[in-house]
Amino acid sequence: MTTSNAEDARAELLRLRDSIDNIDAAVIYMLAERFKATQQVGHLKAAHQLPPADPAREAQQIARLRRLAESAKLDPAFAEKLLNFIVAEVIRHHERIAEEAGGKS
Ligand SMILES: C=C(O[C@@H]1C=C(C(=O)O)C=C[C@H]1O)C(=O)O
């Protein structure tokens, strides 16, 4: 590789990493907004004695996200794993909110 090729590659790497950093920031902000909404769902469920998890809703979300992933050329199995990972954390939050609400009544 000539010096100029190495410099071009370095510049291209920096350009791509800038884009990756912007995407990662957007993902973090979107996740923060999602967790704000799910926290409110957790409080609503605790106030009305609803269970923390809703497997029927999760099945609908998985089917929808798998379809979206396919149309976006993203591995549907990865989309499902990612959703399951996020939902597991949400359910932990809901269980904690329910425990805290139970302790107060
Ligand atoms: C947020 C909810 O609670 C849980 C978390 C979900 C999610 O993070 O999308 C979906 C279903 C529930 O297991 C809900 O019931 O809508």
Side-chain angles (χ1 to χ4, degrees):
M1 187 181 269
T2 65
T3 307
S4 147
N5 273 348
E7 281 167 10
D8 287 351
R10 184 77 199 151
E12 178 71 346
L13 183 61
L14 290 178
R15 188 187 67 74
L16 291 168
R17 285 182 175 171
D18 263 356
S19 182
I20 291 165
D21 286 346
N22 284 346
I23 294 164
D24 286 348
V27 168
I28 292 299
Y29 282 119
M30 284 190 287
L31 278 175
E33 285 305 304
R34 192 184 198 284
F35 276 98
K36 278 187 205 166
T38 57
Q39 285 297 94
Q40 291 179 57
V41 171
H43 286 283
L44 194 63
K45 286 179 171 179
H48 297 274
Q49 284 83 46
L50 293 167
D54 184 340
R57 160 79 174 150
E58 290 169 31
Q60 287 170 353
Q61 287 167 288
I62 287 167
R64 176 172 176 264
L65 287 193
R66 287 187 68 100
R67 282 197 304 274
L68 288 174
E70 265 170 43
S71 70
K73 298 183 173 43
L74 179 71
D75 180 2
F78 172 75
E80 180 169 349
K81 262 195 279 182
L82 180 63
L83 184 74
N84 283 335
F85 180 72
I86 295 168
V87 170
E89 180 70 9
V90 171
I91 291 169
R92 266 195 297 279
H93 293 179
H94 287 187
E95 287 167 347
R96 204 174 53 225
I97 293 167
E99 276 165 27
E100 286 167 6
K104 278 180 203 140
S105 63

